[in-house]
Amino acid sequence: MRHAASRAVVLVWLVAFVATAEADEAVFVENGRAKDVIEVGSEWNQGDGYLEGSGLNNYLYAGKAFGTGDVHVRARLALIGATGSAASFSIDTGSHFGFDGGGNQGTFVSGPVFGELRFIGRLEELIDGEEPFELEVIRKDGKLRFSIDGKPVYEWADARGKFGSIAFRPWRSTMRIYEFSATGQLEPAVIPALAAVGTYRPFSIPTIDISSQTERHVIVARGTAEEYKGHPTTLLMPDGKTMFCVY
């Protein structure tokens, strides 16, 4: 019996040791300095104790991805111009925990991890303007939990296997990352393909960005900070010149 009990104790210790060994910590940004990150799009600039990035299609990816099992992400960041910006924390290159959607519709989740777009709260109730705040993302016991400054914000069932890559996306805001680290089963990061100029292409079809060419813009319905008008639907006719626009 003593030998059997001893073997049981050793087995339990080995299982605990293996489980602990699989959960490694990776530090991506420390004291505002890049330690292990991958920039997609425009360069992130060094500020006074933070990394700063802004603009569409710009991401700051963690230099490691995460496999199966529990994951714990910690970050300290600030958002400048967050209202209606769609700035977000990205999971597995296609799903987002967004801080404030277009038209000031509030905090949201979207993408395959969450099934559909959902607005889940008000940004002004979670952060104090442009002051830094703490974001935690935890996957444990099949649940994905988000909290800001220790306050639970959202919980979602996560039955996926691998957790995937993680990133911050400033979009229409300016984002400052002070600290960024995570614990889990580390794997090589999976980063979207880059164009020759180093810009992330979210679509495989050719695209042209005319956002800065205001002389080519036509306002269908002007929105406000309080009201989001959405986007019209367009159809290019076979002649390659005529376009129908429905709103």
Side-chain angles (χ1 to χ4, degrees), residues 22-78:
E22 289 180 348
D24 296 320
E25 182 178 17
V27 177
F28 311 117
V29 178
E30 186 174 40
N31 296 324
R33 294 193 174 275
K35 303 286 287 185
D36 186 11
V37 296
I38 301 171
E39 299 175 2
V40 175
S42 299
E43 181 180 359
W44 288 62
N45 299 313
Q46 183 68 59
D48 184 13
Y50 54 78
L51 282 181
E52 183 176 275
S54 61
L56 304 183
N57 295 329
N58 295 329
Y59 294 76
L60 188 71
Y61 271 87
K64 296 290 187 296
F66 295 86
T68 58
D70 297 345
V71 175
H72 191 165
V73 181
R74 305 173 185 85
R76 184 169 181 262
L77 66 150

Side-chain angles (χ1 to χ4, degrees), residues 94-96 109-118 144 154 156-158 160:
S95 296
H96 300 272
V109 292
S110 66
V113 170
F114 304 104
E116 61 182 19
L117 173 65
R118 292 181 176 86
L144 186 58
Y154 191 65
W156 184 253
D158 187 2
R160 297 174 302 141

